[in-house]
Amino acid sequence: MPQPHLAAARYGKDNIRVYKVHKDESTGFQEVTEMTVRVLLEGEIETSYTEADNSVVVPTDTMKQTTYIMAKQHPVNPPELFAAILANHFVETYPHIHTAHVKVVQHRWTRMDIDGKPHPHSFMRDGAETRNADATVNRGRGISIRSAIVGLLVLKSTGSAFHGFVDDEYTILKPVNDRILSTEVDCGWTWNTFGSLKDVESAAPKCDQAWSSARKITLETFAVDDSASVQNTMYKMCSQILAADSTIDAVDYSLPNKHYFEIDMSWHDGLKNTGKDAEVYEPQSNPNGLIQCTVKRGSS
């Protein structure tokens, strides 16, 4: 009978919380960055699983301490660059580690305005939205990076329809020409593979530009598109992001529907609250629709 074998293995440290402050002594202003980091390593580590051989294990606490040291010695912005720096360190430092995956989740701290002026060192948590970066360094195969906007909650109270769908013996959903549309945006874009860390460093300024552009496109398209479906609206978003930067290879969206149902109040003295008279709705949590797509750049 064939013996079992280790088909795949990776390990690492998750939920490493890091905060870094940059102090500009000339202006008195400070910049803050808070992030949550995950490190996963792959390589010649099979014997740690099959033979209890810890000599091939880089301790996960070492990964945590390394993250702190890299944050001290290198820029943490943009997150794509820091993720690449950290992942590259593990592959370059440990010959038996062939692949390093680093995920950086950057949390929002927005500078406060006090008396109409930006405060030099006070900030507020501006929602649950995060800016994410996933970097994978494969020895001899370059650096893959996916950037993302996650947790951006949006809603529009009109300008969305859904009709013309499959209607069979299992369908009770009624077509609508106007509805509330709300979702929590998870938008990602995958860059063309970088040959080296130096290539990532050279492209770092574009990362901020791409994030700003993707966020602007997402919000503007969501707001102004006379949406026939979530599917069609997200395709438009993907196409615009690809058009905005030729070094992006693919764009993906995952958009869960946040449903708002009309409440029939006709039982109460004929009170009208459906159709054109609807004003009060019941927000729903689940189940919910989940719409996803990936759009890749066409070959020339």
Side-chain angles (χ1 to χ4, degrees), residues 46-58:
E46 296 89 346
T47 55
S48 66
Y49 292 83
T50 61
E51 300 175 20
D53 174 19
N54 289 336
S55 67
V56 296
V57 175
V58 179

Side-chain angles (χ1 to χ4, degrees), residues 78-130:
E80 292 87 350
L81 175 59
F82 182 68
I85 288 171
L86 186 57
N88 190 70
H89 167 85
F90 289 109
V91 172
E92 292 295 318
T93 302
Y94 305 103
H96 69 292
I97 298 299
H98 302 158
T99 303
H101 308 269
V102 171
K103 181 183 185 71
V104 174
V105 177
Q106 193 174 93
H107 307 283
R108 288 177 71 86
W109 284 117
T110 300
R111 189 180 301 279
M112 293 183 187
D113 282 336
I114 306 298
D115 294 330
K117 298 179 181 179
H119 196 272
H121 57 256
S122 295
F123 306 83
M124 62 181 179
R125 175 58 53 85
D126 187 15
E129 176 193 352
T130 61

Side-chain angles (χ1 to χ4, degrees), residues 78-284:
E80 292 87 350
L81 175 59
F82 182 68
I85 288 171
L86 186 57
N88 190 70
H89 167 85
F90 289 109
V91 172
E92 292 295 318
T93 302
Y94 305 103
H96 69 292
I97 298 299
H98 302 158
T99 303
H101 308 269
V102 171
K103 181 183 185 71
V104 174
V105 177
Q106 193 174 93
H107 307 283
R108 288 177 71 86
W109 284 117
T110 300
R111 189 180 301 279
M112 293 183 187
D113 282 336
I114 306 298
D115 294 330
K117 298 179 181 179
H119 196 272
H121 57 256
S122 295
F123 306 83
M124 62 181 179
R125 175 58 53 85
D126 187 15
E129 176 193 352
T130 61
R131 177 179 174 179
N132 296 8
D134 290 85
T136 298
V137 175
N138 288 289
R139 188 185 303 280
R141 294 191 301 176
I143 302 174
S144 303
I145 296 179
R146 177 183 179 270
S147 307
I149 298 166
V150 177
L152 175 58
L153 188 60
V154 294
L155 177 149
K156 65 179 181 180
S157 54
T158 188
S160 174
F162 188 55
H163 50 76
F165 47 81
V166 173
D167 186 359
D168 59 15
E169 67 269 30
Y170 301 103
T171 304
I172 63 171
L173 185 69
K174 302 300 182 184
V176 290
N177 292 314
D178 189 47
R179 63 174 180 170
I180 295 169
L181 179 59
S182 180
T183 188
E184 187 172 297
V185 175
D186 184 339
C187 165
W189 52 100
T190 303
W191 300 84
N192 293 332
T193 302
F194 295 93
S196 67
L197 183 57
K198 286 189 178 297
D199 293 334
V200 180
E201 292 170 344
S202 297
K206 296 186 66 175
C207 293
D208 286 338
Q209 295 167 12
W211 177 84
S212 296
S213 176
R215 195 173 189 273
K216 183 173 184 288
I217 288 168
T218 298
L219 293 175
E220 288 185 353
T221 306
F222 177 84
V224 305
D225 184 43
D226 189 10
S227 178
S229 66
V230 176
Q231 287 89 333
N232 184 241
T233 298
M234 64 165 43
Y235 180 80
K236 293 176 181 178
M237 294 173 177
C238 290
S239 299
Q240 292 179 68
I241 292 172
L242 284 173
D245 193 318
S246 62
T247 60
I248 293 174
D249 178 60
V251 181
D252 61 270
Y253 274 87
S254 180
L255 301 180
N257 275 326
K258 303 289 186 181
H259 297 294
Y260 289 75
F261 291 167
E262 295 179 356
I263 302 172
D264 186 354
M265 300 182 185
S266 60
W267 60 271
H268 184 73
D269 297 329
L271 188 60
K272 296 180 179 180
N273 190 61
T274 59
K276 65 181 179 60
D277 298 309
E279 294 180 300
V280 178
Y281 295 78
E282 182 181 6
Q284 304 294 304

